[in-house]
Amino acid sequence: MTLSGKAPKIGGLGLYAVFYLAFIYGPVLFLPLFSLNDSTFISFPLKEFTFKWYVEAFQSERLMASLFNSVKVGVPVAIISTILGTLAAKAITRYRMPGKTPMMSFLMAPLVVPGIIVGIALLIIINRVGIDLSLWTIGIAHLPACTAFSLWIMISRLEGFDRSLEEASLNLGENAWMTFWRVTFPLILPGVIASLLLTFTISFDEFILAFFLAGNEPTLPIFMWSQLRFPAQLPPVLALGSLILIASFVLVYFAEWFRRRGTHLESSSGV
Amino acid sequence: MVDGTAPKAGSVSGAGTGRPGLLSWWRQLYLRSEGVRGYSLLSPTLLLMVFAIAVPLLLLFVASFWTQHLLDITPTFVFDNYLTFAEKDSYQKLLWRSLKISGFVTVLTLLLAYPMAYFIAFRIKQNKLMWIILITVPFWTSYLLRVFAWKIILGYNGVINSGLLTLGWIQAPLEFLLYNQFAVVLTLAHAWAAFAILPIYVSLEKIDRTLLEAATVLGDGPVMRFFRVTLPLSMPGVVAAALLVFIPTVGDYITPALLGGPKGLMIGNLIQLQFAKANNWPMGAALSVISLLAITLVVCAFLWFSKRVRTQNL
Amino acid sequence: MANESFISIQDVSKDFGVVRAVDRVSIDIAQGEFFSLLGPSGCGKTTLLRMLAGFEFPTSGEIFIDGQPMSSVPTNHRPVSMVFQNYAIFPHLNVSQNIGYSLRKDRLSKADFNAKVGEMLDLIKLPGYEKRASHELSGGERQRVALARALVRRPKVLLLDEPLGALDKQLREQMQLELRALQKSVGITFVFVTHDQEEALTMSDRIAVMSKGRYLQIDTPTQLYESPTSRTVADFIGTMNFFEAQVKDAQNGRAHIDVGPLGSLSAPLRQQKFAAGQRVLAAIRPEKIALLAEPKPGANQVKGQVDTAAYLGDRSHFYVRIEGIERPVAVSAQNMQTAGPGVGDPDRQVWLSWAEDAVVILNADD
């Protein structure tokens, strides 16, 4: 492989790595493959090449509505969780605080508690308080996990952050707010972008929580789930799924790229 | 200070010492205590986690003692739901099966992931991050679609069956591919692969390379060196990976619902059922609490065991 | 009056949890003074500097700068600039943006801004560096840019946290002289933190030697070197020979002490009070001891044997064994003549001699 440089040295382990990548990526590739196949049945042999499932998908009003719903939830969730994650990461990496370790475990908990349990816990409380299920409730459900992910991304970003840069700015007469905008923010911007893209992707693709907390406006994963039961509806869903996969791949790839570019910039500046 | 702003410094310090009351007290506290500054920055996130995670989970626990008749939920404090669980063999079996499946998934995922993590950590010299990205990108993308992809592959008219039929290798579709525990285990192992690789990779990357050289100098061959140095030192990563895979998979219900069939259902499906057809929310809450308890027990036992193994190794 | 103590640190302590980093320190620093805080790492000197800067606040006590109490003044409102140990050059800004960082509030026109930055670049001898990216700068250049950035806002006090530590030896010595010259030309009070005693001696008007959160002595470099008031200070600055001694009598500015094998000595008192019979330490610098091949007439000499000798080019170091004294005595001699076989040969019998005033008497217990 070109990635690994001198191939001969890699041997059995390298071969395994190739198989492993095939295992990770292979199954997913069948979605776009069959989305371009001119047949209602998802099976070999392949028939004609066609784009008609894509056209059909985009002509479905309900599908487009659910796509729009997912964006309506994902964008604010990404912004709010990134702000909260950044603030918390700043507090944790910057200050000596009593009880920091248990606090961290608590803030990271949404990543390990099974989604279904968080989902029904929220469903019960929302029902008791008497709030109607809507896109709002989905958004609230997405916030903790997305914030925890953002926190995780931003902590790794801020850990290498030279604290004296902020002190220098304060010392040069700027207040905390301007210091944030003139020094901290430009330096953590790659992490912020990565966090925005990743949290958006998570919220956009999230199914389990949304399943319990959706009102009568479904998000895209909910809509797709409802279509999986009808074989005739499968090809347009495949078309849409393929698009989502491609979009997610691009978003995530850019996110990771930003994260890397950021660390590269910092190490080359050599502070 | 900058020319001409000297009076400003004076006025500010004057205000700080001269103004009595709460504001001044808070200002002093804020300036002097890093803890106060840290927690005030942390407070919005903390509030979110308290109100969107801690309080709901607490209420879930409370609700597990309630009862429901048709549509009316009564906030009682009775153990009915827990007694129901104790009486119903089928419920216990489902929980037991969930733990078993997740256990299998964890072992399989770790076995598959370890060589890959080892490969990236020790064999890749350039473009390491490229490989990491390559491994992690699928993890961020739609879980539902990744699970669904396996249904297409393993289904009665799916990729494997129709492919083999077209090739003429089989006469009738293989039915054992889908709707069983194997399909669930395979799909989950695929879905959680990235979660296992990252922690193992990080712990392998941290190993001081001179330790490996030292082991070689002291006469260990590559195999002995792996089992006596590399593997023990990477154990923290393996343990973390095991927990990261095991805990969420116990509660999964998409995969069993799509691929498990009746024989592959898990506790998550039963919980979900309480909020759908069965419509018994308190029972669902109780099942969730029981699942969390079971997960905690398994995790504690696992941690205790892995700690014992490690201390004996050293 | 303001000139007398421009910075006044009054009974300041700082606790980090249970650790007391600075312990009841009181120091007054005059306007225009080059003041150094000297001590090993962990002695509290950096914490003290950070309290002056306003990054940390005293647990108790008060700091006054230019007559103003600083207890509730955050760093951005203090007339104090700081040069950081790692220089803290903003990596996302170029040299001009770094130096002009604090000028934002002045709302200068572009020409005025450039003129100010240019002026500073001339001062630090880096003209034409405006557009350089921060990562293109060498260590010495980063240090200069950090200086310019701190000075452009005309602070009343400049704090420097080991600013030369990251530079190589030659550059460091050059920068020591330049910093000193710069301080003289801008006339700002400098507070300089260092663990390098030579650096502190070269540059400072006065030095506070710190240890374990307290200061041991505040004095001019000459006084610190010639008249340390404690064993720790004497040991930390330069090399010192110590001998156990007992006071015979101490009055009229002189003391007579009994130094065992070295016999009876007379030494000047430096505002010290000793009682007869008190156990003390007699201390002599290695370069204040002359190494003689023959005894000379008069007192203040003792017979010994050369243990080891090290030739250092301009000087030689000798260790001389003296009967009845456990540790060999260190002697440093200028190599005035071309070296040859002579007085420093191992095992050779020599006589050590010193002037009366070279002896410093210190308390035995600190």
Side-chain angles (χ1 to χ4, degrees), chain C residues 50-204:
Chain C
R50 290 174 60 81
M51 284 196 279
L52 284 174
F55 299 135
E56 310 280 356
F57 286 82
T59 311
S60 64
E62 179 65 284
I63 292 172
F64 293 87
I65 294 176
D66 201 11
Q68 301 288 346
M70 289 288 133
S71 63
S72 52
V73 182
T75 183
N76 50 320
H77 291 301
R78 292 190 183 194
V80 166
S81 279
M82 178 146 161
V83 175
F84 291 80
Q85 188 166 13
N86 62 2
Y87 312 137
I89 302 291
F90 301 123
H92 58 301
L93 304 178
N94 65 23
V95 168
S96 165
Q97 289 164 327
N98 260 290
I99 293 178
Y101 187 85
S102 59
L103 301 177
R104 180 187 65 88
K105 285 191 209 147
D106 298 359
R107 301 186 185 287
L108 300 175
S109 69
K110 206 164 179 188
D112 287 348
F113 180 90
N114 289 339
K116 271 209 161 180
V117 170
E119 198 181 303
M120 292 318 293
L121 282 172
D122 288 340
L123 183 72
I124 58 168
K125 299 181 190 135
L126 292 177
Y129 265 56
E130 280 90 347
K131 296 284 168 258
R132 293 280 179 106
S134 59
H135 61 84
E136 293 169 340
L137 300 175
S138 70
E141 287 165 353
R142 300 172 79 83
Q143 201 259 349
R144 286 160 198 251
V145 170
L147 256 176
R149 187 179 68 179
L151 288 172
V152 74
R153 56 196 290 250
R154 307 269 165 91
K156 295 177 181 170
V157 179
L158 186 69
L159 307 173
L160 302 106
D161 185 8
E162 308 231 8
L164 307 178
L167 307 180
D168 59 52
K169 192 170 183 290
Q170 236 176 349
L171 192 56
R172 196 161 67 222
E173 283 167 3
Q174 182 197 338
M175 284 310 296
Q176 285 173 6
L177 297 176
E178 280 190 26
L179 254 186
R180 181 70 199 180
L182 184 74
Q183 194 256 342
K184 287 276 169 269
S185 72
V186 294
I188 295 171
T189 310
F190 276 35
V191 180
F192 186 90
V193 156
T194 182
H195 67 273
D196 184 332
Q197 39 112 351
E198 221 172 289
E199 196 166 279
L201 291 177
T202 313
M203 301 168 72
S204 319

Side-chain angles (χ1 to χ4, degrees), chain B residues 85-200:
Chain B
F85 179 81
E87 283 162 9
K88 287 213 178 180
D89 274 354
S90 58
Y91 285 16
Q92 293 164 28
K93 261 189 198 154
L94 219 50
L95 177 63
W96 179 238
R97 183 196 286 164
S98 302
L99 295 174
K100 219 171 55 183
I101 288 181
S102 290
F104 275 127
V105 169
T106 308
V107 172
L108 184 63
T109 312
L110 290 185
L111 285 179
L112 287 173
Y114 199 98
M116 190 65 197
Y118 185 91
F119 174 74
I120 301 176
F122 288 102
R123 296 296 158 83
I124 300 289
K125 305 284 186 248
Q126 291 158 352
N127 289 319
K128 249 183 208 201
L129 276 158
M130 187 68 206
W131 278 83
I132 296 292
I133 293 179
L134 217 54
I135 299 286
T136 42
V137 163
F139 164 73
W140 298 103
T141 59
S142 175
Y143 186 65
L144 184 62
L145 285 171
R146 277 181 290 147
V147 173
F148 181 64
W150 281 98
K151 188 172 168 124
I152 295 180
I153 293 168
L154 300 172
Y156 188 79
N157 291 314
V159 170
I160 292 180
N161 275 332
S162 63
L164 291 177
L165 278 171
T166 312
L167 290 168
W169 291 9
I170 52 172
Q171 261 59 56
L174 306 168
E175 292 190 31
F176 61 83
L177 289 176
L178 199 58
Y179 301 129
N180 53 40
Q181 297 183 16
F182 166 76
V184 174
V185 170
L186 182 66
T187 307
L188 285 174
H190 174 255
W192 293 91
F195 246 12
I197 289 188
L198 284 183
I200 299 175

Side-chain angles (χ1 to χ4, degrees), chain C residues 160-324:
Chain C
L160 302 106
D161 185 8
E162 308 231 8
L164 307 178
L167 307 180
D168 59 52
K169 192 170 183 290
Q170 236 176 349
L171 192 56
R172 196 161 67 222
E173 283 167 3
Q174 182 197 338
M175 284 310 296
Q176 285 173 6
L177 297 176
E178 280 190 26
L179 254 186
R180 181 70 199 180
L182 184 74
Q183 194 256 342
K184 287 276 169 269
S185 72
V186 294
I188 295 171
T189 310
F190 276 35
V191 180
F192 186 90
V193 156
T194 182
H195 67 273
D196 184 332
Q197 39 112 351
E198 221 172 289
E199 196 166 279
L201 291 177
T202 313
M203 301 168 72
S204 319
D205 292 320
R206 282 193 306 153
I207 300 170
V209 181
M210 294 190 64
S211 168
K212 292 170 191 160
R214 294 163 173 270
Y215 68 87
L216 302 171
Q217 187 174 355
I218 302 179
D219 240 323
T220 62
T222 325
Q223 283 297 306
L224 272 184
Y225 190 82
E226 302 291 349
S227 314
T229 55
S230 65
R231 178 174 186 149
T232 320
V233 172
D235 229 2
F236 192 70
I237 295 177
T239 315
M240 187 68 106
N241 293 301
F242 296 101
F243 306 96
E244 287 178 11
Q246 194 166 21
V247 177
K248 288 201 288 203
D249 67 274
Q251 51 198 323
N252 305 330
R254 289 206 83 76
H256 293 278
I257 52 174
D258 178 23
V259 201
L262 267 60
S264 187
L265 297 180
S266 154
L269 286 172
R270 297 162 168 88
Q271 286 104 46
Q272 298 157 302
K273 282 203 167 63
F274 295 108
Q278 192 179 342
R279 301 213 64 84
V280 291
L281 286 173
I284 312 178
R285 294 277 180 206
E287 73 278 6
K288 302 238 154 66
I289 303 178
L291 200 63
L292 306 170
E294 304 290 336
K296 66 168 191 188
N300 295 338
Q301 55 184 321
V302 66
K303 194 170 76 176
Q305 247 181 347
V306 174
D307 189 66
T308 52
Y311 177 71
L312 299 178
D314 59 338
R315 283 159 298 141
S316 291
H317 282 179
F318 304 96
Y319 287 92
V320 179
R321 270 174 287 129
I322 294 170
E323 224 178 282

Side-chain angles (χ1 to χ4, degrees), chain A residues 10 16 20 23-25 31 42-44 84 91 95-96 98 103 112 116 120 205 207 211 228 234 248 252 260, chain B residues 34 38-39 42 45-46 112 119 129 134 140-142 148 152 157 159 162 190 193 197 247 251 253-254 268 288:
Chain A
I10 284 162
Y16 177 81
Y20 192 90
F23 170 65
I24 287 187
Y25 281 86
L31 297 177
I42 299 171
S43 61
F44 286 114
L84 291 178
Y95 295 113
R96 293 178 293 253
M103 193 54 55
V112 283
I116 185 171
I120 63 164
D205 283 338
F207 171 72
F211 179 76
L228 292 184
L234 272 186
S248 301
V252 174
R260 277 206 306 145
Chain B
E34 289 209 3
Y39 274 107
L42 201 60
T45 315
L46 214 51
L112 287 173
F119 174 74
L129 276 158
L134 217 54
W140 298 103
T141 59
S142 175
F148 181 64
I152 295 180
N157 291 314
V159 170
S162 63
H190 174 255
I197 289 188
I247 298 173
Y253 71 90
I254 304 179
S288 302

